[in-house]
PDB file of all heavy atoms in Angstrom:
ATOM      1  N   LEU E 351      55.973  71.805 -42.815  1.00 98.00           N
ATOM      2  CA  LEU E 351      55.246  70.913 -41.906  1.00 98.00           C
ATOM      3  C   LEU E 351      53.773  70.785 -42.269  1.00 98.00           C
ATOM      4  O   LEU E 351      53.051  70.017 -41.628  1.00 98.00           O
ATOM      5  CB  LEU E 351      55.368  71.438 -40.471  1.00 98.00           C
ATOM      6  CG  LEU E 351      56.772  71.649 -39.918  1.00 98.00           C
ATOM      7  CD1 LEU E 351      56.702  72.197 -38.523  1.00 98.00           C
ATOM      8  CD2 LEU E 351      57.557  70.357 -39.960  1.00 98.00           C
ATOM      9  N   ASP E 352      53.340  71.538 -43.232  1.00 98.00           N
ATOM     10  CA  ASP E 352      51.890  71.623 -43.517  1.00 98.00           C
ATOM     11  C   ASP E 352      51.417  70.378 -44.274  1.00 98.00           C
ATOM     12  O   ASP E 352      51.136  70.409 -45.471  1.00 98.00           O
ATOM     13  CB  ASP E 352      51.613  72.903 -44.319  1.00 98.00           C
ATOM     14  CG  ASP E 352      50.125  73.103 -44.530  1.00 98.00           C
ATOM     15  OD1 ASP E 352      49.314  72.480 -43.808  1.00 98.00           O
ATOM     16  OD2 ASP E 352      49.771  73.893 -45.423  1.00 98.00           O
ATOM     17  N   VAL E 353      51.325  69.289 -43.538  1.00 98.00           N
ATOM     18  CA  VAL E 353      50.913  68.008 -44.137  1.00 98.00           C
ATOM     19  C   VAL E 353      49.413  67.780 -44.013  1.00 98.00           C
ATOM     20  O   VAL E 353      48.921  66.687 -44.357  1.00 98.00           O
ATOM     21  CB  VAL E 353      51.681  66.821 -43.520  1.00 98.00           C
ATOM     22  CG1 VAL E 353      53.163  66.982 -43.679  1.00 98.00           C
ATOM     23  CG2 VAL E 353      51.301  66.677 -42.028  1.00 98.00           C
ATOM     24  N   TRP E 354      48.704  68.776 -43.588  1.00 98.00           N
ATOM     25  CA  TRP E 354      47.257  68.632 -43.437  1.00 98.00           C
ATOM     26  C   TRP E 354      46.592  68.289 -44.758  1.00 98.00           C
ATOM     27  O   TRP E 354      46.989  68.784 -45.823  1.00 98.00           O
ATOM     28  CB  TRP E 354      46.624  69.934 -42.945  1.00 98.00           C
ATOM     29  CG  TRP E 354      46.835  70.233 -41.496  1.00 98.00           C
ATOM     30  CD1 TRP E 354      47.561  71.266 -40.988  1.00 98.00           C
ATOM     31  CD2 TRP E 354      46.272  69.535 -40.385  1.00 98.00           C
ATOM     32  NE1 TRP E 354      47.483  71.239 -39.613  1.00 98.00           N
ATOM     33  CE2 TRP E 354      46.718  70.184 -39.224  1.00 98.00           C
ATOM     34  CE3 TRP E 354      45.449  68.408 -40.270  1.00 98.00           C
ATOM     35  CZ2 TRP E 354      46.346  69.758 -37.942  1.00 98.00           C
ATOM     36  CZ3 TRP E 354      45.093  67.976 -38.994  1.00 98.00           C
ATOM     37  CH2 TRP E 354      45.534  68.635 -37.844  1.00 98.00           C
ATOM     38  N   THR E 355      45.539  67.474 -44.692  1.00 97.00           N
ATOM     39  CA  THR E 355      44.656  67.302 -45.843  1.00 97.00           C
ATOM     40  C   THR E 355      43.435  68.214 -45.596  1.00 97.00           C
ATOM     41  O   THR E 355      43.097  68.506 -44.447  1.00 97.00           O
ATOM     42  CB  THR E 355      44.214  65.858 -46.002  1.00 97.00           C
ATOM     43  OG1 THR E 355      43.719  65.373 -44.741  1.00 97.00           O
ATOM     44  CG2 THR E 355      45.391  65.002 -46.437  1.00 97.00           C
ATOM     45  N   PRO E 356      42.777  68.652 -46.680  1.00 97.00           N
ATOM     46  CA  PRO E 356      41.665  69.594 -46.544  1.00 97.00           C
ATOM     47  C   PRO E 356      40.621  69.089 -45.553  1.00 97.00           C
ATOM     48  O   PRO E 356      40.110  67.975 -45.671  1.00 97.00           O
ATOM     49  CB  PRO E 356      41.105  69.677 -47.953  1.00 97.00           C
ATOM     50  CG  PRO E 356      42.267  69.383 -48.842  1.00 97.00           C
ATOM     51  CD  PRO E 356      43.059  68.351 -48.100  1.00 97.00           C
ATOM     52  N   GLY E 357      40.306  69.925 -44.594  1.00 96.00           N
ATOM     53  CA  GLY E 357      39.225  69.635 -43.677  1.00 96.00           C
ATOM     54  C   GLY E 357      39.516  68.591 -42.606  1.00 96.00           C
ATOM     55  O   GLY E 357      38.615  68.264 -41.836  1.00 96.00           O
ATOM     56  N   ALA E 358      40.724  68.082 -42.547  1.00 97.00           N
ATOM     57  CA  ALA E 358      41.014  67.001 -41.597  1.00 97.00           C
ATOM     58  C   ALA E 358      40.910  67.485 -40.145  1.00 97.00           C
ATOM     59  O   ALA E 358      40.722  66.687 -39.232  1.00 97.00           O
ATOM     60  CB  ALA E 358      42.402  66.444 -41.865  1.00 97.00           C
ATOM     61  N   HIS E 359      41.081  68.754 -39.935  1.00 97.00           N
ATOM     62  CA  HIS E 359      40.829  69.328 -38.614  1.00 97.00           C
ATOM     63  C   HIS E 359      39.914  70.520 -38.855  1.00 97.00           C
ATOM     64  O   HIS E 359      40.254  71.435 -39.614  1.00 97.00           O
ATOM     65  CB  HIS E 359      42.141  69.780 -37.967  1.00 97.00           C
ATOM     66  CG  HIS E 359      41.989  70.338 -36.591  1.00 97.00           C
ATOM     67  ND1 HIS E 359      42.086  69.565 -35.448  1.00 97.00           N
ATOM     68  CD2 HIS E 359      41.745  71.596 -36.139  1.00 97.00           C
ATOM     69  CE1 HIS E 359      41.906  70.299 -34.359  1.00 97.00           C
ATOM     70  NE2 HIS E 359      41.704  71.535 -34.763  1.00 97.00           N
ATOM     71  N   ASN E 360      38.729  70.514 -38.258  1.00 95.00           N
ATOM     72  CA  ASN E 360      37.790  71.583 -38.571  1.00 95.00           C
ATOM     73  C   ASN E 360      37.224  72.219 -37.324  1.00 95.00           C
ATOM     74  O   ASN E 360      37.732  72.037 -36.211  1.00 95.00           O
ATOM     75  CB  ASN E 360      36.688  71.074 -39.495  1.00 95.00           C
ATOM     76  CG  ASN E 360      35.784  70.054 -38.817  1.00 95.00           C
ATOM     77  OD1 ASN E 360      35.881  69.808 -37.628  1.00 95.00           O
ATOM     78  ND2 ASN E 360      34.910  69.442 -39.595  1.00 95.00           N
ATOM     79  N   GLY E 361      36.163  72.984 -37.483  1.00 96.00           N
ATOM     80  CA  GLY E 361      35.579  73.709 -36.356  1.00 96.00           C
ATOM     81  C   GLY E 361      34.638  74.778 -36.889  1.00 96.00           C
ATOM     82  O   GLY E 361      35.001  75.519 -37.786  1.00 96.00           O
ATOM     83  N   THR E 362      33.476  74.826 -36.312  1.00 96.00           N
ATOM     84  CA  THR E 362      32.438  75.742 -36.822  1.00 96.00           C
ATOM     85  C   THR E 362      32.860  77.197 -36.805  1.00 96.00           C
ATOM     86  O   THR E 362      32.557  77.958 -37.726  1.00 96.00           O
ATOM     87  CB  THR E 362      31.168  75.570 -35.960  1.00 96.00           C
ATOM     88  OG1 THR E 362      30.648  74.268 -36.215  1.00 96.00           O
ATOM     89  CG2 THR E 362      30.127  76.631 -36.286  1.00 96.00           C
ATOM     90  N   PHE E 363      33.547  77.598 -35.752  1.00 97.00           N
ATOM     91  CA  PHE E 363      33.863  79.020 -35.596  1.00 97.00           C
ATOM     92  C   PHE E 363      35.314  79.332 -35.997  1.00 97.00           C
ATOM     93  O   PHE E 363      35.910  80.273 -35.517  1.00 97.00           O
ATOM     94  CB  PHE E 363      33.584  79.460 -34.146  1.00 97.00           C
ATOM     95  CG  PHE E 363      32.133  79.363 -33.785  1.00 97.00           C
ATOM     96  CD1 PHE E 363      31.660  78.357 -32.963  1.00 97.00           C
ATOM     97  CD2 PHE E 363      31.211  80.291 -34.302  1.00 97.00           C
ATOM     98  CE1 PHE E 363      30.295  78.273 -32.629  1.00 97.00           C
ATOM     99  CE2 PHE E 363      29.866  80.190 -33.991  1.00 97.00           C
ATOM    100  CZ  PHE E 363      29.399  79.186 -33.163  1.00 97.00           C
ATOM    101  N   ARG E 364      35.846  78.532 -36.912  1.00 95.00           N
ATOM    102  CA  ARG E 364      37.249  78.746 -37.262  1.00 95.00           C
ATOM    103  C   ARG E 364      37.438  80.002 -38.101  1.00 95.00           C
ATOM    104  O   ARG E 364      38.571  80.396 -38.364  1.00 95.00           O
ATOM    105  CB  ARG E 364      37.845  77.499 -37.937  1.00 95.00           C
ATOM    106  CG  ARG E 364      37.295  77.096 -39.268  1.00 95.00           C
ATOM    107  CD  ARG E 364      37.815  75.657 -39.527  1.00 95.00           C
ATOM    108  NE  ARG E 364      37.484  75.072 -40.796  1.00 95.00           N
ATOM    109  CZ  ARG E 364      36.362  74.426 -41.092  1.00 95.00           C
ATOM    110  NH1 ARG E 364      35.379  74.365 -40.240  1.00 95.00           N
ATOM    111  NH2 ARG E 364      36.188  73.853 -42.263  1.00 95.00           N
ATOM    112  N   GLY E 365      36.372  80.635 -38.487  1.00 90.00           N
ATOM    113  CA  GLY E 365      36.505  81.937 -39.146  1.00 90.00           C
ATOM    114  C   GLY E 365      35.626  82.969 -38.406  1.00 90.00           C
ATOM    115  O   GLY E 365      34.500  83.193 -38.807  1.00 90.00           O
ATOM    116  N   ASN E 366      36.152  83.540 -37.329  1.00 95.00           N
ATOM    117  CA  ASN E 366      35.413  84.537 -36.595  1.00 95.00           C
ATOM    118  C   ASN E 366      35.780  85.910 -37.165  1.00 95.00           C
ATOM    119  O   ASN E 366      36.756  86.526 -36.732  1.00 95.00           O
ATOM    120  CB  ASN E 366      35.738  84.419 -35.104  1.00 95.00           C
ATOM    121  CG  ASN E 366      34.899  85.362 -34.259  1.00 95.00           C
ATOM    122  OD1 ASN E 366      34.068  86.121 -34.795  1.00 95.00           O
ATOM    123  ND2 ASN E 366      35.126  85.336 -32.947  1.00 95.00           N
ATOM    124  N   ASN E 367      34.978  86.340 -38.135  1.00 98.00           N
ATOM    125  CA  ASN E 367      35.391  87.525 -38.887  1.00 98.00           C
ATOM    126  C   ASN E 367      35.468  88.791 -38.052  1.00 98.00           C
ATOM    127  O   ASN E 367      36.319  89.652 -38.306  1.00 98.00           O
ATOM    128  CB  ASN E 367      34.441  87.748 -40.084  1.00 98.00           C
ATOM    129  CG  ASN E 367      34.782  86.784 -41.211  1.00 98.00           C
ATOM    130  OD1 ASN E 367      35.653  87.033 -42.016  1.00 98.00           O
ATOM    131  ND2 ASN E 367      34.105  85.642 -41.264  1.00 98.00           N
ATOM    132  N   LEU E 368      34.604  88.912 -37.059  1.00 98.00           N
ATOM    133  CA  LEU E 368      34.708  90.093 -36.180  1.00 98.00           C
ATOM    134  C   LEU E 368      36.088  90.097 -35.522  1.00 98.00           C
ATOM    135  O   LEU E 368      36.715  91.152 -35.358  1.00 98.00           O
ATOM    136  CB  LEU E 368      33.625  90.080 -35.114  1.00 98.00           C
ATOM    137  CG  LEU E 368      32.180  90.216 -35.616  1.00 98.00           C
ATOM    138  CD1 LEU E 368      31.219  90.297 -34.418  1.00 98.00           C
ATOM    139  CD2 LEU E 368      32.015  91.425 -36.515  1.00 98.00           C
ATOM    140  N   ALA E 369      36.550  88.944 -35.147  1.00 98.00           N
ATOM    141  CA  ALA E 369      37.890  88.872 -34.522  1.00 98.00           C
ATOM    142  C   ALA E 369      38.986  89.206 -35.516  1.00 98.00           C
ATOM    143  O   ALA E 369      40.024  89.785 -35.155  1.00 98.00           O
ATOM    144  CB  ALA E 369      38.114  87.473 -33.951  1.00 98.00           C
ATOM    145  N   PHE E 370      38.777  88.873 -36.770  1.00 98.00           N
ATOM    146  CA  PHE E 370      39.765  89.252 -37.780  1.00 98.00           C
ATOM    147  C   PHE E 370      39.864  90.772 -37.878  1.00 98.00           C
ATOM    148  O   PHE E 370      40.933  91.335 -38.008  1.00 98.00           O
ATOM    149  CB  PHE E 370      39.385  88.687 -39.159  1.00 98.00           C
ATOM    150  CG  PHE E 370      39.391  87.194 -39.227  1.00 98.00           C
ATOM    151  CD1 PHE E 370      38.609  86.511 -40.198  1.00 98.00           C
ATOM    152  CD2 PHE E 370      40.158  86.415 -38.359  1.00 98.00           C
ATOM    153  CE1 PHE E 370      38.611  85.146 -40.249  1.00 98.00           C
ATOM    154  CE2 PHE E 370      40.157  85.019 -38.442  1.00 98.00           C
ATOM    155  CZ  PHE E 370      39.381  84.388 -39.383  1.00 98.00           C
ATOM    156  N   VAL E 371      38.700  91.407 -37.841  1.00 98.00           N
ATOM    157  CA  VAL E 371      38.645  92.879 -37.932  1.00 98.00           C
ATOM    158  C   VAL E 371      39.382  93.518 -36.757  1.00 98.00           C
ATOM    159  O   VAL E 371      40.222  94.408 -36.915  1.00 98.00           O
ATOM    160  CB  VAL E 371      37.185  93.332 -37.998  1.00 98.00           C
ATOM    161  CG1 VAL E 371      37.100  94.847 -37.857  1.00 98.00           C
ATOM    162  CG2 VAL E 371      36.543  92.883 -39.306  1.00 98.00           C
ATOM    163  N   THR E 372      39.096  93.024 -35.562  1.00 98.00           N
ATOM    164  CA  THR E 372      39.706  93.639 -34.391  1.00 98.00           C
ATOM    165  C   THR E 372      41.179  93.290 -34.294  1.00 98.00           C
ATOM    166  O   THR E 372      42.001  94.127 -33.893  1.00 98.00           O
ATOM    167  CB  THR E 372      38.988  93.192 -33.094  1.00 98.00           C
ATOM    168  OG1 THR E 372      38.906  91.769 -33.045  1.00 98.00           O
ATOM    169  CG2 THR E 372      37.558  93.764 -33.075  1.00 98.00           C
ATOM    170  N   ALA E 373      41.545  92.057 -34.685  1.00 98.00           N
ATOM    171  CA  ALA E 373      42.952  91.679 -34.667  1.00 98.00           C
ATOM    172  C   ALA E 373      43.748  92.609 -35.570  1.00 98.00           C
ATOM    173  O   ALA E 373      44.823  93.110 -35.219  1.00 98.00           O
ATOM    174  CB  ALA E 373      43.114  90.209 -35.140  1.00 98.00           C
ATOM    175  N   ARG E 374      43.220  92.852 -36.755  1.00 98.00           N
ATOM    176  CA  ARG E 374      43.935  93.704 -37.716  1.00 98.00           C
ATOM    177  C   ARG E 374      44.071  95.126 -37.162  1.00 98.00           C
ATOM    178  O   ARG E 374      45.135  95.734 -37.281  1.00 98.00           O
ATOM    179  CB  ARG E 374      43.152  93.702 -39.049  1.00 98.00           C
ATOM    180  CG  ARG E 374      43.730  94.638 -40.092  1.00 98.00           C
ATOM    181  CD  ARG E 374      43.006  94.467 -41.400  1.00 98.00           C
ATOM    182  NE  ARG E 374      43.444  95.453 -42.386  1.00 98.00           N
ATOM    183  CZ  ARG E 374      42.892  96.636 -42.555  1.00 98.00           C
ATOM    184  NH1 ARG E 374      41.857  97.020 -41.798  1.00 98.00           N
ATOM    185  NH2 ARG E 374      43.360  97.462 -43.480  1.00 98.00           N
TER     186      ARG E 374
END
Side-chain angles (χ1 to χ4, degrees):
Chain E
L351 304 178
D352 186 16
V353 301
W354 284 114
T355 50
H359 183 90
N360 67 7
T362 292
F363 296 106
R364 65 194 184 276
N366 185 359
N367 282 276
L368 294 185
F370 296 155
V371 169
T372 54
R374 176 173 174 269

